Amino acid sequence: MRCSSVRSRLDRLADGELGNRNTLRMMLEHVARCDDCRQELARITALKKDLQRSMRIEAGPEFIATLLGRMEARGIRRHGAVPEARLAKGIAAAVTGIAAAGLILLSLSLLSPGDPAELSHLFLQRLSSGEIACISEGMMLYDTVEYR
Amino acid sequence: MTDREIYELVRRDRDTGFIMLVQEYQGMVINLAYSYLFDRHEAEDMAQEVFMQAYGALDRFRGESRLSSWLYRICVNRCIDHIRRSKRVKTVPLELVDAATTEGGDGAVREAIADALRTLPGKFRDAVILKDVEGKSYRQIAAILGCSIGTVESRIHRGRKLLRERLSDPWEVDNAM
């Protein structure tokens, strides 16, 4: 694979969005032996990490309560339109659904080895930590994950 | 919860469905607003306005588009309108946004990123924020932005490239690794 075609897919690799296993394998081979492309990938992942660290904020714990209070104050929603018991029931149902979905996804991940997104994620982790320095190590990671 | 489940819940029980919608999308809306306003309190205020507008329009939402896409449009339109009306491209000194109002991250890096994001065309910024801050997949971003996956990829690529051009040393590989 040439640098130019690798470069055009580095964002996808960094994002774990390379769906084609052959392309992923070729990309990993190239990146493991090409300093320039590996550095470019490292720059992308560093920017991603800084964006995540710097620009992500979470809603405060009172966000929904404040929202409902403001809506009532403005007459958009009447007071107590959602009794707490119903709300708790709704949230419990949602949490149960999410947990069930998580279990299904976990089962699927155990049953389907070598998911391309997971592979590239693992690769990036080891690349960042300096564990991967040459093509043979990169391939070892690929093979280890593929056949686990 | 999926959009479909929330939509069905809204139809059966508007208020409970609305709260589920807020729970599901508050993070996305707040982070989008933050990427335009760069102030946590303003972003939370904006997110509340977005959800209030959404609540008022829930009856008219027919499920033809995704809830995420619908909320995204409301949020971005309101943010742009807010910035235009207050004529503020940059009025919040980020160094004043102390640790109590922001989470994690180095202040200088955050300020540099905020400055760079301000100069980014909205379509690139939104794609990058949805990917790198919100962690959405290309498919999800395509649905939210109403474009193809290829367009999402292109916008993310160009957005990051522009960001890196406008940033400097912190993204050199020696520091990154």
Side-chain angles (χ1 to χ4, degrees), chain A residues 47 61 86 101 120 146:
Chain A
L47 177 61
R86 269 170 54 205
S120 57
E146 185 177 18

Side-chain angles (χ1 to χ4, degrees), chain A residues 78-95:
Chain A
R78 63 192 156 76
H79 178 69
V82 182
E84 284 187 8
R86 269 170 54 205
L87 178 58
K89 198 175 163 189
I91 292 172
V95 169

Side-chain angles (χ1 to χ4, degrees), chain A residues 11-12 15 17 40 42 46-48 50 52 56-58 60 63 70-71 74 81-82 86 127, chain B residues 13 15 26 30-31 34 40 44-45 48-49 55 132-134 137-138 153 157 160 164 171 176-177:
Chain A
D11 287 283
R12 266 188 177 270
D15 291 334
E17 294 269 357
E40 181 67 9
L47 177 61
K48 281 172 64 69
D50 276 335
Q52 166 74 218
R56 182 170 179 82
I57 59 171
E58 304 289 340
F63 182 81
R70 286 173 77 173
M71 290 170 72
R74 292 190 194 180
V82 182
R86 269 170 54 205
L127 180 70
Chain B
D13 183 338
D15 283 338
Q26 58 184 351
I30 287 175
N31 280 305
Y34 187 64
R40 185 196 174 99
E44 283 210 12
D45 273 353
Q48 300 217 339
E49 294 295 333
Y55 183 86
D132 292 339
V133 178
E134 271 299 291
S137 69
Y138 284 12
E153 183 180 7
H157 174 72
R160 285 180 185 152
R164 283 172 49 197
W171 289 270
M177 296 293 284

Side-chain angles (χ1 to χ4, degrees), chain B residues 8-114:
Chain B
E8 292 300 328
L9 188 54
V10 165
R11 287 179 63 189
R12 289 201 308 274
D13 183 338
R14 178 179 161 135
D15 283 338
T16 304
F18 172 70
I19 289 176
M20 289 296 114
L21 179 145
V22 176
Q23 289 236 332
E24 188 70 25
Y25 289 112
Q26 58 184 351
M28 181 191 86
V29 173
I30 287 175
N31 280 305
L32 263 175
Y34 187 64
S35 76
Y36 279 81
L37 306 171
F38 302 105
D39 178 90
R40 185 196 174 99
H41 297 301
E42 281 196 39
E44 283 210 12
D45 273 353
M46 179 58 72
Q48 300 217 339
E49 294 295 333
V50 168
F51 285 117
M52 279 190 265
Q53 184 175 336
Y55 183 86
L58 271 178
D59 291 338
R60 296 193 297 278
F61 183 76
R62 291 282 172 258
E64 287 111 0
S65 62
R66 281 174 178 258
L67 285 165
S68 54
S69 176
W70 183 56
L71 289 169
Y72 162 79
R73 283 198 302 272
I74 296 175
C75 181
V76 169
N77 287 341
R78 287 197 77 111
C79 284
I80 291 171
D81 189 50
H82 176 81
I83 291 168
R84 191 179 293 137
R85 272 193 286 160
S86 56
K87 290 186 171 60
R88 45 162 294 191
V89 175
K90 180 184 179 182
T91 60
V92 180
L94 284 173
E95 62 272 20
L96 297 181
V97 183
D98 61 20
T101 59
T102 56
E103 293 172 2
D106 174 79
V109 173
R110 183 170 51 247
E111 189 171 359
I113 289 179

Side-chain angles (χ1 to χ4, degrees), chain A residues 77-142:
Chain A
R77 175 183 163 276
R78 63 192 156 76
H79 178 69
V82 182
E84 284 187 8
R86 269 170 54 205
L87 178 58
K89 198 175 163 189
I91 292 172
V95 169
T96 306
I98 291 166
L103 278 174
I104 291 168
L105 286 174
L106 179 64
S107 310
L108 287 175
S109 72
L110 292 174
L111 291 172
S112 56
D115 173 62
E118 187 190 5
L119 282 175
S120 57
H121 176 67
L122 282 171
F123 179 80
L124 292 173
Q125 271 187 336
R126 294 193 59 182
L127 180 70
S128 301
S129 63
E131 289 178 64
I132 295 176
C134 68
I135 180 172
S136 59
E137 289 179 49
M139 291 308 298
M140 192 183 296
L141 168 75
Y142 186 87

